[in-house]
Amino acid sequence: IDEKWFNITRKTVRYYAAPTASRRIRTIQNKNFIPKIMILTALARPRFDSNGNCIFDGKIGCFPFVTYTAEKRSSVNRPAGTIEMKPIESITKEVIRSFMIEKVLPAVRAKWPREDAGKPIYIQQDNA
């Protein structure tokens, strides 16, 4: 398991779109103050059978540290009640723990190979 910070968008963005495509809307207020988002990624070793065929690719999931909130007021960009994705600004021990229990462990149980079901699973984190 590893965490990494990413910028939500870039300062300058170039799009090539068809004439009938809608224009992309930048959801930040100022291009000089771009918020960051943290993503938790879980990986495992891939598993292969005796013929060398991949039976488990090791990809478990990516989990962004965001909250989904309904907007209270209308604006020119969206009506009231629209669900917006907001990054969690302060990542604390409690936030990491809740993500591990609610998102990472169910994903590990769902995607883990059945032939390794009886063996112990160790979750290794870095010292972040």
Side-chain angles (χ1 to χ4, degrees), residues 3 15 21 26 29 32-33 35 38 43 46 48 55 58 63-64 68 73 81 102 105 109-110 112 118 122-123:
E3 306 90 14
Y15 295 105
R26 188 186 293 243
Q29 294 180 359
N32 292 325
F33 300 99
M38 183 185 270
L43 295 172
F48 298 96
I55 56 174
F63 310 97
Y68 296 96
R73 291 184 257 171
E102 296 170 6
L105 293 178
R109 284 190 198 110
W112 202 255
Y122 298 102
I123 296 178

Side-chain angles (χ1 to χ4, degrees), residues 48-126:
F48 298 96
D49 62 2
S50 59
N51 296 331
N53 298 325
C54 183
I55 56 174
F56 174 62
D57 61 358
K59 298 175 186 174
I60 295 175
C62 294
F63 310 97
F65 285 93
V66 295
T67 57
Y68 296 96
T69 57
E71 290 300 317
K72 296 176 185 165
R73 291 184 257 171
S74 294
S75 73
V76 294
N77 295 327
R78 63 190 165 353
T82 303
I83 304 297
E84 287 267 328
M85 180 184 71
K86 304 279 183 178
I88 298 174
E89 298 294 329
S90 177
I91 308 296
T92 61
K93 179 173 80 171
E94 291 80 20
V95 173
I96 295 279
R97 181 183 167 93
S98 68
F99 264 72
M100 291 287 290
I101 292 170
E102 296 170 6
K103 296 187 178 182
V104 176
L105 293 178
V108 169
R109 284 190 198 110
K111 295 186 178 182
W112 202 255
R114 296 293 164 222
E115 57 268 5
D116 293 339
K119 297 178 184 176
I121 298 172
Y122 298 102
I123 296 178
Q124 181 179 353
Q125 292 179 302
D126 58 357

Side-chain angles (χ1 to χ4, degrees), residues 1-3 39-43 61-63:
I1 291 180
D2 196 17
E3 306 90 14
I39 296 179
L40 178 79
T41 305
L43 295 172
C62 294
F63 310 97

